[in-house]
Amino acid sequence: MPNVLILGGSGYLGTAIAQALLRSGGYAVWGTARSAAKAAQLRTNEVSPVETVHLADPQTLAQTIDAHHIDAVIDASSAYEQAAGVLGAVILAAKARADALAKDKAVGPKLAFIYTSGSWVHGSPSRRVSDLTPPGTSLAPGKPATAVTWRPAHEQAILAARDVLDVAILRPAAIYGRGSWVWGTWWGPLLAAAQSGSRDAIQIPADKGARTGVVHVDDLAAAYLGALDRIHGQLGSWPVFDVGAENLSIVDLLEAAKAALGVEAELAYGGTHGNAFLEALSLVANSDFSRAKLVLAWVPKRVDFVPNTAVYVDAWRATEEMKPKA
Ligand SMILES: NC(=O)c1ccc[n+]([C@@H]2O[C@H](COP(=O)([O-])OP(=O)(O)OC[C@H]3O[C@@H](n4cnc5c(N)ncnc54)[C@H](OP(=O)(O)O)[C@@H]3O)[C@@H](O)[C@H]2O)c1
């Protein structure tokens, strides 16, 4: 059974990936944790915690990969400043393994590495765009969002490491379901209005023309399983996948959330105030997600976000209410 280490294993996405891998029955799963509480959370989910890894220190990560006989590493962390160090550590571990085999005049499977990028690298493209167009290049019809200008170069560095690694890059659209933390930016002001009963216009920090790709967290986790199952040679020459179920306008999304929360006040779209995160949320997505279906045999099962918004808003709200108060 392949051993998989998930960096950010206790995070929103990392938790869902771990559950999908374990549910498949095909993988044993380790996950990084930065505190005893997060380690316990992993153990409750049948994930073996690795507490000693500092992603800023490539040596300890490479040693961890070796110590637990890890066959595949999935970076589902938000350790953006450590991204290059993580890749360096994975390459280090892969080379050490290849060198050990070479001494025995043998070859073996490559260490596998799946990196989590995101759909923001496409920016607001002037035409429909798929994962076959490399972002951040002269061929791309949009510019990466300011928050992720570094990411296309990092994707290229990962693809350049294919001499020692089997890799895949998954680019999720905005993820929803359960904690849905990214949606709090838009749903938060609606919930505040619902709680106060105010009829004043609700300020939304976004552009009214925004359109965003969306994917349910469980569907996304299934795409990771599809990529991992195929990573040793079945992903073809371009193992990069945009993963989303549908592209939806902010107006449709927020009118549905208003109805779910029983809010009647008008929405005032106030723009993104020069904030890089808000700007990224307000991109005008034009993504084609078909290759994930073609190559990974991926079938998203949650495709009606707007009609089902009440369930997702309630799950987000309950998650927020359960968080310890600062
Ligand atoms: N959420 C979305 O809608 C979305 C959409 C597209 C792409 N993505 C990408 O998906 C990835 C995961 O996002 P998420 O939504 O799952 O975020 P999340 O819930 O905040 O999880 C991030 C995980 O990374 C860990 N982490 C952060 N900094 C770290 C560091 N310096 N060293 C070790 N671990 C560190 C966190 O540990 P702690 O729990 O200890 O903080 C947590 O386990 C990110 O790369 C993000 O860009 C997310």
Side-chain angles (χ1 to χ4, degrees):
M1 187 179 281
N3 294 338
V4 181
L5 172 63
I6 303 178
L7 312 179
S10 61
Y12 174 50
L13 174 57
T15 300
I17 296 172
Q19 288 170 345
L21 302 192
L22 290 169
R23 207 176 287 127
S24 78
Y27 299 94
V29 183
W30 279 254
T32 57
R34 293 197 288 178
S35 65
K38 292 285 167 80
Q41 180 191 321
L42 288 176
R43 284 173 26 237
T44 63
N45 283 314
E46 303 171 18
V47 174
S48 304
V50 177
E51 282 181 75
T52 50
V53 173
H54 300 292
L55 298 188
D57 176 7
Q59 287 293 344
T60 60
L61 178 52
Q63 281 160 11
T64 299
I65 292 168
D66 182 47
H68 297 287
H69 313 288
I70 298 298
D71 302 295
V73 177
I74 297 178
D75 188 351
S77 77
S78 50
Y80 306 125
E81 283 163 17
Q82 281 83 47
V86 165
L87 177 60
V90 175
I91 291 173
L92 201 64
K95 283 186 173 161
R97 205 165 280 181
D99 289 349
L101 285 169
K103 283 190 187 136
D104 297 332
K105 298 191 173 16
V107 292
K110 287 179 187 167
L111 184 64
F113 181 55
I114 298 184
Y115 176 68
T116 305
S117 181
S119 58
W120 292 349
V121 293
H122 289 303
S124 298
S126 55
R127 62 168 169 80
R128 200 133 172 88
V129 70
S130 80
D131 40 31
L132 291 175
T133 300
T137 69
S138 58
L139 301 185
K143 277 203 286 201
T146 308
V148 295
T149 44
W150 59 277
R151 230 169 190 170
H154 187 57
E155 290 185 356
Q156 292 287 327
I158 292 164
L159 293 164
R162 281 180 286 178
D163 54 335
V164 286
L165 299 173
D166 281 336
V167 307
I169 295 170
L170 267 59
R171 295 196 196 113
I175 312 170
Y176 70 92
R178 293 198 280 282
S180 291
W181 66 265
V182 83
W183 299 90
T185 307
W186 291 349
W187 290 345
L190 303 187
L191 178 60
Q195 288 170 333
S196 71
S198 165
R199 310 280 300 204
D200 296 342
I202 303 167
Q203 299 297 320
I204 302 295
D207 296 330
K208 194 173 183 181
R211 185 172 58 221
T212 183
V214 301
V215 62
H216 190 278
V217 66
D218 287 337
D219 280 335
L220 177 58
Y224 280 79
L225 177 61
L228 196 54
D229 286 347
R230 291 166 178 76
I231 201 158
H232 294 301
Q234 290 168 268
L235 295 179
S237 61
W238 192 246
V240 182
F241 302 96
D242 289 351
V243 188
E246 45 190 341
N247 294 296
L248 296 170
S249 94
I250 187 171
V251 173
D252 290 347
L253 288 162
L254 291 195
E255 288 304 319
K258 263 177 67 178
L261 289 163
V263 171
E264 289 177 6
E266 298 275 303
L267 301 186
Y269 290 90
T272 57
H273 310 288
N275 176 298
F277 178 69
L278 296 177
E279 176 211 306
L281 285 177
S282 269
L283 294 171
V284 185
N286 203 355
S287 286
D288 168 64
F289 301 112
S290 49
R291 272 188 75 253
K293 296 172 192 158
L294 293 171
V295 182
L296 306 180
W298 182 63
V299 182
K301 295 179 179 162
R302 312 286 186 92
V303 288
D304 280 326
F305 186 15
V306 167
N308 292 308
T309 296
V311 173
Y312 305 125
V313 169
D314 199 40
W316 161 78
R317 181 179 181 169
T319 308
E320 291 298 310
E321 286 169 358
M322 283 165 61
K323 283 182 182 167
K325 300 282 172 268

